[in-house]
Amino acid sequence: MTARTVTVRTVTARVVRAVGGQNLSLLLALGLLVVVVGSQRPAFFLPINLVNIGVAVSLLGLVALAQTVTVISGGLDISVGAVVGVASVAAAIGAAAGTVAGVALGVAAGAAAGLINGALIRFGRVNAVITTLATFSAFQGVTFILAGGEAIGVRTPGFLALGAGRVLGVPVPLAVLVVAVVVFHVVLRYTDLGRNVYAIGGNTSAAWLAGVRVNRYTTGIYLVAGVVAGIAGVLLTARSGAGVADSGAPNLSLQSIAAVLLGGCALAGGRGTVAGTVLGVLLLGVLQNGLVLLDVPRFYQFVAQGTLLVVAVMIQEYRGGRRSRPAAAGGWP
């Protein structure tokens, strides 16, 4: 074995450790998908299409970031898509009084919904999945009540600029996502808040014995998820120019769960990264864009997303089972 071979292997091993095995697999899958779609539709590589992909995944990206923190802490927020819908309609109502009012009301609606989830889980002692499944339905009902069964149009120029404007040449929704990614990454990786979130998801009892205020963190995590969903709702209304009860926002719940699981978050909690979630979001975004360019019927997109979710869960179960497999000779059958 030559010194050059050893050096290449060493560098490769360091790169794999730095990127992470899960993220490396996602990068390879994303690259393969890009090659397949691009070879069939060269228009995929046009700058305008790449920007469109970024804008299209901006809302999912925001919701997935909130879902990442929730899943790492050992919870799950099934209602997050419905919260986006409530915030969207609330923002449209507030926008009639101005841009600031629209943004404030949309974010406040999201925060209130998140606080309700956190309070029910903390004080009602109800399982997070059951709680958010129930509030998913309730928030959808609230959305239809607020909208009165009709679309609420928005004509405020400043508010609409949040969906169509640019910051330093970057579309506002995409710029907001980039800022959110940086903030979530820094908080989760480099602060005590982030370390405590991982600790709660890894072992709640041990975290409590170590002095972590688990109940407060639980409320705060769902409150943050609501605020982020509120921001996504504001951007949704600004992009579409209207607050519509049946906007399709609830679909973001399934998509966000698929993205975080693809990104390596464990349903049991205690594991996951922002980088992995971003790659999961991009994989879903490129897949959806590719299916559109290939003229695949829309309902096949839901089949593809559902399939990816099942695959992600199977991978998580396999990895979890492999780690917990006893070291004794023979192991489990």
Side-chain angles (χ1 to χ4, degrees):
M1 185 180 296
T2 64
R4 182 175 181 179
T5 303
V6 174
T7 302
V8 170
R9 289 185 175 181
T10 302
V11 172
T12 302
R14 289 179 178 177
V15 170
V16 171
R17 283 197 300 270
V19 176
Q22 176 75 19
N23 291 345
L24 186 60
S25 299
L26 281 174
L27 282 171
L28 292 175
L30 182 60
L32 178 61
L33 183 59
V34 167
V35 170
V36 170
V37 175
S39 64
Q40 298 298 315
R41 292 290 187 273
F44 174 84
F45 294 108
L46 291 177
I48 188 172
N49 185 62
L50 297 178
V51 172
N52 287 338
I53 293 175
V55 174
V57 302
S58 58
L59 299 183
L60 172 58
L62 287 171
V63 174
L65 288 174
Q67 193 75 262
T68 298
V69 179
T70 305
V71 173
I72 290 175
S73 71
L76 189 68
D77 192 352
I78 298 175
S79 71
V80 68
V83 175
V84 173
V86 172
S88 174
V89 172
I93 294 174
T99 302
V100 175
V103 173
L105 193 57
V107 175
L115 191 59
I116 290 172
N117 281 335
L120 287 173
I121 295 169
R122 175 181 177 181
F123 299 108
R125 304 295 180 182
V126 183
N127 178 274
V129 174
I130 302 301
T131 296
T132 55
L133 182 61
T135 55
F136 174 89
S137 178
F139 294 151
Q140 277 191 298
V142 171
T143 302
F144 280 96
I145 292 172
L146 290 175
E150 299 179 357
I152 303 175
V154 176
R155 297 184 178 180
T156 307
F159 188 88
L160 295 176
L162 297 175
R166 291 176 177 264
V167 177
L168 300 177
V170 179
V172 173
L174 184 56
V176 171
L177 174 60
V178 171
V179 172
V181 166
V182 173
V183 171
F184 273 78
H185 174 73
V186 171
V187 171
L188 282 177
R189 185 160 185 175
Y190 299 108
T191 69
D192 289 338
L193 290 174
R195 284 186 282 272
N196 288 340
V197 170
Y198 280 101
I200 292 171
N203 190 320
T204 304
S205 298
W208 182 78
L209 291 173
V212 178
R213 297 182 176 180
V214 176
N215 287 334
R216 291 190 179 182
Y217 268 87
T218 298
T219 304
I221 286 168
Y222 284 92
L223 174 60
V224 169
V227 170
V228 174
I231 295 173
V234 170
L235 294 175
L236 174 60
T237 300
R239 282 179 55 191
S240 62
V244 184
D246 190 16
S247 62
N251 294 331
L252 290 172
S253 294
L254 174 62
Q255 294 172 347
S256 67
I257 294 172
V260 299
L261 293 182
L262 284 170
C265 286
L267 281 174
R271 189 176 75 246
T273 63
V274 170
T277 294
V278 171
L279 288 175
V281 169
L282 287 176
L283 187 62
L284 289 175
V286 171
L287 175 63
Q288 185 172 5
N289 182 264
L291 291 175
V292 171
L293 290 178
L294 295 173
D295 297 323
V296 176
R298 181 172 175 77
F299 51 82
Y300 281 112
Q301 298 177 21
F302 296 108
V303 174
Q305 291 172 6
T307 301
L308 279 177
L309 179 57
V310 172
V311 170
V313 173
M314 290 175 64
I315 292 174
Q316 294 296 334
E317 290 296 324
Y318 170 75
R319 294 178 66 189
R322 185 175 58 182
R323 283 193 299 272
S324 60
R325 188 181 295 260
W332 291 348

